[in-house]
Amino acid sequence: MKTKLYLSVFCVGFFWGTTFLGIRIGVETIPPFLVSGLRNILSGSLILLFLIATKKTERIQLHHVARALVLALLMIVIGNGLTTYSEKYISSGLASLISTLSPLVVLLFNLVLGYEKLSIKTIAGIFLGLFGMYLLYENNMSDFIKPEYREGVGALLLAIIAWSAGTLVTKRAKVNPLGMLMNVSMQMLLAGVILCGLHLGTQGPIDSSQWSNRSMLAIVYLALFGSVVGYVAYSYLMTQWSSTRVTVLAYVNVVIALFLGWLILDETITPRIILATAVIVSGVVLVNYKKRA
């Protein structure tokens, strides 16, 4: 059980950290809603094919579809769709930075609804993460006031709120009516169709003549590692941990995005960045640490 848990933590922390770069590459030549829509149709189909091959499909009823639709709208259509849309206008680094607000939003929801009690340990862990973000991006804060970033930042903030709400719905549901994989597959397929429909309704027919191989490969990567691996691991963690603890992994995502910038874009890693990384990891450890009896 612990091996499965630790593997899920790694998948969410690492692979979701790489998706910010993948999204940025995808939207270079492919419209954002199509990037997200095709990604989810592909990943949902792969999971469904696996279930069919292993004879683990389940009978779907109307209330199953209704529940999956709510989560698909909150976490994928609005959450993932607007995150993808935002990276058309802002950098992947800035997107990953703003996404670290999700633990605070989830914690605020939990506190308001009475699902979680405020503790010094939780507050300290979250603010250590935020302080690490400040150390990482202090010199880039001017990006927030640039007019060209405002639309992207606004879209991403809405995505964070929707994702956080969907996280709470997932965590607080009394009974999961379907198996995790069946439920996740249905969410992805529903969301993928909706997102592609949004593109058709706002942009007209799909024109793939300008799509680059680089962007198409990014969609495949996002489908396999961002959705199949990452989202399934996230859904599993939601059954094992509190919603606040799971979302704090967003801090690790930013560290991964940072190192990818160093590996792929030749960005410089300074002692300040190393210090910030240590602060962020300390925050994650603090929130997740439990004393053994």
Side-chain angles (χ1 to χ4, degrees), residues 120-198:
I120 295 176
K121 182 169 70 74
T122 299
I123 294 174
I126 289 177
F127 278 95
L128 270 176
L130 288 176
F131 180 62
M133 295 303 101
Y134 170 77
L135 291 175
L136 283 176
Y137 291 96
E138 180 186 9
N139 296 329
N140 298 323
M141 288 301 175
S142 59
D143 288 344
F144 286 100
I145 63 174
K146 293 180 181 179
E148 61 267 28
Y149 286 141
R150 290 175 185 169
E151 185 174 352
V153 169
L156 188 52
L157 290 175
L158 181 57
I160 290 169
I161 293 173
W163 180 270
S164 300
T167 295
L168 291 181
V169 172
T170 301
K171 183 64 181 177
R172 296 298 164 182
K174 298 297 182 182
V175 179
N176 191 353
L178 289 176
M180 183 185 69
L181 289 181
M182 192 72 185
N183 193 38
V184 166
S185 175
M186 186 159 50
Q187 289 177 39
M188 290 176 176
L189 290 171
L190 287 170
V193 171
I194 293 171
L195 285 162
C196 289
L198 284 173

Side-chain angles (χ1 to χ4, degrees), residues 77-259:
V77 175
I78 302 177
N80 180 259
L82 289 185
T83 297
T84 305
Y85 178 81
S86 74
E87 289 202 42
K88 187 71 176 177
Y89 302 99
I90 63 177
S91 68
S92 59
L94 182 58
S96 64
L97 165 63
I98 299 173
S99 294
T100 60
L101 293 174
S102 59
L104 288 177
V105 175
V106 170
L107 179 60
L108 181 60
F109 280 158
N110 277 327
L111 292 173
V112 170
L113 296 173
Y115 294 147
E116 193 167 326
K117 292 182 179 180
L118 196 61
S119 70
I120 295 176
K121 182 169 70 74
T122 299
I123 294 174
I126 289 177
F127 278 95
L128 270 176
L130 288 176
F131 180 62
M133 295 303 101
Y134 170 77
L135 291 175
L136 283 176
Y137 291 96
E138 180 186 9
N139 296 329
N140 298 323
M141 288 301 175
S142 59
D143 288 344
F144 286 100
I145 63 174
K146 293 180 181 179
E148 61 267 28
Y149 286 141
R150 290 175 185 169
E151 185 174 352
V153 169
L156 188 52
L157 290 175
L158 181 57
I160 290 169
I161 293 173
W163 180 270
S164 300
T167 295
L168 291 181
V169 172
T170 301
K171 183 64 181 177
R172 296 298 164 182
K174 298 297 182 182
V175 179
N176 191 353
L178 289 176
M180 183 185 69
L181 289 181
M182 192 72 185
N183 193 38
V184 166
S185 175
M186 186 159 50
Q187 289 177 39
M188 290 176 176
L189 290 171
L190 287 170
V193 171
I194 293 171
L195 285 162
C196 289
L198 284 173
H199 170 81
L200 292 173
T202 58
Q203 303 295 322
I206 297 174
D207 179 14
S208 61
S209 60
Q210 302 299 317
W211 295 5
S212 67
N213 291 333
R214 172 184 167 101
S215 291
M216 289 188 285
L217 286 174
I219 289 180
V220 174
Y221 177 85
L222 290 168
L224 292 175
F225 295 98
S227 295
V228 174
V229 175
Y231 193 63
V232 169
Y234 184 88
S235 298
Y236 172 74
L237 284 178
M238 288 303 300
T239 67
Q240 305 297 314
W241 283 356
S242 71
S243 51
T244 300
R245 292 178 69 191
V246 177
T247 53
V248 166
L249 288 171
Y251 295 142
V252 180
N253 296 161
V254 179
V255 176
I256 299 301
L258 174 71
F259 279 97

